[in-house]
Amino acid sequence: MKKKSSIIIISIVAFVAIVLIWGISINNSLVKSDENVQQAWSQVENVYKRRMDLIPQLVETVKGAANYEKSVLTEVTNARAGVDQVKVDPSTLSEDQVKAYQQAQDKLGKALANSIKVTVERYPELTATKNFAELQQQLEGTENRITVERSKFNKAVQEYNTKVRRFPNSIIAGICGFDKKGYFTAPEEAAEPVDVKFEF
């Protein structure tokens, strides 16, 4: 009788240990995926920050080289300030937060693209200046980097969301508080993301 009860106790302990190890393994996998998403998000923020840092240089270059309309520069400056107002918590990256961040960045991208287009059209002499040409190249490169990093972020989010929603991971995800993350999407009013092109 003692031997039988010992076997039952050992079996229960072994089962609990297996379940515990399984839960820890899933939790660690979810943590790793969450860290990948946050790392991808930091890269997205880096490329957007690069664009933000280039904008004052663009504004000053244009101001210094031409008697430029203040309304266009004000639109870019205001859009840039609007981006600073949107705060995103990297630990949650909820769909609403990512959407608000994306809308502010899209507005800035449009203002920037419109500003450069008007500049090139109205002040062709600017296209010949070294500073303006370099800024154009840097901004174009930055827009390409933004597209690449947003794509990498969405891939990391897809992998994470798939793990969170897949059974039996969804049980551990629910218990440990792993929530679904938000994606970057194309702007509602456009089929494609903002693409800054410089035509001479």
Side-chain angles (χ1 to χ4, degrees), residues 20-180:
L20 191 61
I21 291 168
W22 169 79
I24 290 170
S25 173
I26 289 177
N27 183 71
N28 289 344
S29 174
L30 290 169
V31 167
K32 183 179 177 184
S33 292
D34 186 49
E35 287 298 320
N36 287 341
V37 170
Q38 290 189 47
Q39 189 274 335
W41 177 255
S42 70
Q43 285 303 107
V44 168
E45 287 186 317
N46 284 341
V47 290
Y48 277 124
K49 171 97 170 58
R50 184 176 193 271
R51 179 170 72 177
M52 293 276 282
D53 292 343
L54 287 172
I55 289 170
Q57 295 175 43
L58 173 67
V59 170
E60 289 306 312
T61 301
V62 173
K63 269 185 189 174
N67 184 15
Y68 196 58
E69 285 85 351
K70 286 184 181 177
S71 62
V72 179
L73 293 178
T74 301
E75 183 186 355
V76 172
T77 305
N78 288 343
R80 184 177 184 269
V83 168
D84 286 336
Q85 301 300 315
V86 180
K87 302 296 178 204
V88 177
D89 180 1
S91 65
T92 57
L93 291 170
S94 70
E95 292 180 27
D96 290 340
Q97 286 180 336
V98 174
K99 186 175 181 181
Y101 185 84
Q102 179 183 347
Q103 286 173 342
Q105 290 291 352
D106 288 346
K107 185 176 178 182
L108 175 58
K110 284 180 197 159
L112 188 58
N114 290 340
S115 169
I116 291 173
K117 184 178 177 188
V118 170
T119 302
V120 171
E121 287 174 355
R122 294 194 187 169
Y123 303 101
E125 69 276 7
L126 274 177
T127 62
T129 69
K130 184 181 174 190
N131 288 346
F132 190 71
E134 284 177 4
L135 280 172
Q136 286 177 321
Q137 290 172 354
Q138 288 185 42
L139 286 165
E140 185 177 32
T142 300
E143 293 301 321
N144 290 336
R145 289 180 193 184
I146 287 169
T147 301
V148 168
E149 295 304 336
R150 280 173 46 152
S151 176
K152 287 180 182 176
F153 172 77
N154 278 349
K155 188 171 187 286
V157 168
Q158 179 189 21
E159 290 171 5
Y160 169 84
N161 285 347
T162 301
K163 279 187 181 178
V164 166
R165 295 177 63 206
R166 188 178 281 163
F167 183 82
N169 293 9
S170 58
I171 296 169
I172 303 297
I175 292 169
C176 296
F178 289 96
D179 296 319
K180 192 177 167 190

